[in-house]
Amino acid sequence: MKNNKFVLAFDIGSSKIRAIYAGKGLNDTFNVKGFKEIDYDGFYEGKFLNQEKIASIFEDVINEFDLNVGKTIDKLFIGVPSEFSSVHQCEMSINFGDKRKVKKQDIDSLYYMASEKGKRNDVEIVSVNALSFILDDGRATLEPIGESAVSISGKLSIVYADRKFIELFNGIASGLGFGAVEYISSPLSQALFLIPKERREELAVIIDVGDLSSSVAFVQGDGLLGLSSFSRGGGFITNDLSQAFEIEMNEAERLKREIVLSLKGKPTDIYELMLNNGQMIKLSQTAVNEVVGYRIDELSQVISKCIQLFTRQFSSYIPVILTGSALTLLKGGRDYLAKCLGRNIAYGKPEIPGKEKPQLASIYSLLNSALNN
């Protein structure tokens, strides 16, 4: 990229694409010159519903940001969502023969060995990250460089992206004149940006609930221990409301923004909703909340299964962080999910003045990784 102060990144959500053109600002902030959120058909069960339109979305963003590809900017950063990702763990070792200090080249060699061993035809490696390093005396560390050892082994995490996803966006980038594309794991970038390093020494969990897709990421050290994704999200709640009360989808979306799940009102309590034709209707608060609660119950069951498949010893003290827009914008959504799971859940919010919103976690985490890269 000819201008190394600013990057252009696209966050590929299940119903929205977010684009940002920004650089680093003062005091760990970002200098954002362009930001845009675009609704599109999205993806479902690992397939884009109308991928032919994605290229025009990218082109419109570049024109709106007034970027000259090849001059102003030549590299594109793409966030790879969980639904097009997978994670594999491996362990690599080096024996130095004699005791000496660990060098950066040694760590690079471990990463290289893992990437060579991990090559597969159906996927492409996005990154290799350390879960932990073990010195020959048994000590575990995330900062091995400078330590004295005869040998070192690395517990490493390889993040893959589906090759079809890579081919799609490589083609879009090439058609727009970009000379390079870098792919960044969305769940990993959130883990590294939202969770302080000292808290990542032990297991942490990020639950990202989007519109048509959600994920559960298990985080340790600088990598992902595991990753599960499934086609459920806030769009299903909207659809349930639409069907249950025979209203249009956009009317159901407006109703969803009025719901307060923590309210336990009387049978006579209501929500008022203005329909598209200007008519005001009244809906039972209890009935509406039950529809939404049923879907979150189902969502929590899927999340619980993901957790059980990954580990049977998922202690209650392990941090659980919620991102995405589906439940964080739903009043009482986080607390309802926490009750279903029987765990405390914290919002995953970017520590950026004015941007402390869980629904912005993915795009700003992606931006942070792009700038650090």
Side-chain angles (χ1 to χ4, degrees):
M1 189 170 63
K2 294 183 179 180
N3 183 348
N4 60 6
K5 292 183 179 180
F6 286 83
V7 298
L8 175 63
F10 284 84
D11 181 37
I12 312 299
S14 60
S15 64
K16 297 179 186 292
I17 291 176
R18 290 186 174 98
I20 194 165
Y21 181 60
K24 288 188 175 182
L26 298 174
N27 301 320
D28 295 324
T29 60
F30 299 117
N31 181 7
V32 179
K33 289 195 171 183
F35 181 91
K36 189 170 179 64
E37 182 178 271
I38 308 102
D39 292 320
Y40 79 126
D41 293 315
F43 56 80
Y44 180 70
E45 294 186 345
K47 293 182 179 179
F48 286 98
L49 301 179
N50 193 350
Q51 69 179 42
E52 292 78 14
K53 288 187 176 180
I54 299 176
S56 62
I57 291 173
F58 275 51
E59 185 174 12
D60 289 345
V61 167
I62 290 166
N63 290 335
E64 185 170 326
F65 289 176
D66 196 23
L67 299 177
N68 190 331
V69 178
K71 292 184 179 179
T72 306
I73 195 166
D74 192 45
K75 187 175 184 179
L76 189 61
F77 290 88
I78 304 287
V80 184
S82 299
E83 194 142 333
F84 298 92
S85 306
S86 56
V87 172
H88 173 71
Q89 294 180 43
C90 65
E91 187 164 340
M92 295 293 158
S93 301
I94 296 177
N95 192 307
F96 306 136
D98 296 309
K99 192 168 187 177
R100 66 168 175 80
K101 289 188 175 182
V102 179
K103 302 175 183 176
K104 181 180 181 299
Q105 296 94 309
D106 302 322
I107 305 305
D108 290 342
S109 294
L110 291 174
Y111 289 144
Y112 177 76
M113 291 160 58
S115 63
E116 286 297 302
K117 186 177 180 180
K119 285 182 177 178
R120 288 164 38 188
N121 292 328
D122 57 329
V123 291
E124 199 163 303
I125 294 175
V126 174
S127 65
V128 179
N129 300 83
L131 302 172
S132 67
F133 295 100
I134 311 296
L135 304 174
D136 58 274
D137 60 6
R139 285 183 297 140
T141 179
L142 276 173
E143 304 288 349
I145 297 173
E147 296 282 353
S148 294
V150 176
S151 65
I152 184 172
S153 63
K155 293 183 178 180
L156 306 176
S157 166
I158 303 175
V159 179
Y160 294 103
D162 291 352
R163 191 166 294 280
K164 288 183 179 179
F165 181 93
I166 299 293
E167 290 172 350
L168 169 63
F169 288 97
N170 275 354
I172 291 172
S174 177
L176 293 171
F178 285 94
V181 187
E182 184 162 338
Y183 294 91
I184 296 173
S185 165
S186 291
L188 178 59
S189 66
Q190 288 192 55
L192 298 179
F193 187 53
L194 300 176
I195 307 175
K197 191 159 191 170
E198 60 273 14
R199 290 181 61 193
R200 286 189 265 114
E201 292 180 1
E202 302 295 336
L203 182 66
V205 178
I206 295 180
I207 300 172
D208 186 340
V209 184
D211 195 43
L212 300 177
S213 181
S214 300
S215 66
V216 182
F218 301 90
V219 183
Q220 190 173 57
D222 292 331
L224 297 180
L225 271 170
L227 179 66
S228 298
S229 65
F230 46 92
S231 295
R232 291 287 189 278
F236 289 75
I237 296 175
T238 308
N239 186 66
D240 290 345
L241 291 170
S242 174
Q243 292 190 4
F245 302 105
E246 298 181 344
I247 55 179
E248 298 295 325
M249 286 291 285
N250 63 345
E251 294 168 341
E253 189 65 33
R254 292 201 301 272
L255 173 61
K256 192 166 70 173
R257 298 294 166 242
E258 298 300 319
I259 293 170
V260 183
L261 286 176
S262 58
L263 290 178
K264 295 192 180 293
K266 303 172 185 176
T268 54
D269 288 340
I270 59 168
Y271 291 115
E272 291 187 341
L273 175 67
M274 180 73 73
L275 299 181
N276 294 334
N277 62 9
Q279 178 187 357
M280 180 72 75
I281 63 171
K282 297 178 180 180
L283 300 171
S284 164
Q285 184 187 102
T286 300
V288 171
N289 284 13
E290 282 180 354
V291 169
V292 177
Y294 178 84
R295 182 59 75 176
I296 298 178
D297 283 336
E298 185 205 37
L299 183 65
S300 72
Q301 291 172 21
V302 179
I303 292 171
S304 293
K305 287 181 180 178
C306 292
I307 292 171
Q308 290 167 10
L309 285 171
F310 180 76
T311 176
R312 293 182 179 179
Q313 296 180 335
F314 185 52
S315 302
S316 58
Y317 67 85
I318 292 173
V320 180
I321 295 168
L322 178 66
T323 65
S325 60
L327 295 186
T328 61
L329 291 177
L330 183 63
K331 300 180 186 74
R334 176 194 64 171
D335 295 337
Y336 196 99
L337 179 64
K339 183 179 178 181
C340 292
L341 294 176
R343 302 181 182 279
N344 292 325
I345 298 178
Y347 287 127
K349 299 182 290 187
E351 295 299 324
I352 306 168
K355 306 297 180 184
E356 305 96 334
K357 299 176 182 178
Q359 64 268 31
L360 296 177
S362 185
I363 183 62
Y364 279 99
S365 297
L366 174 63
L367 173 62
N368 180 67
S369 292
L371 288 167
N372 286 340
N373 285 352

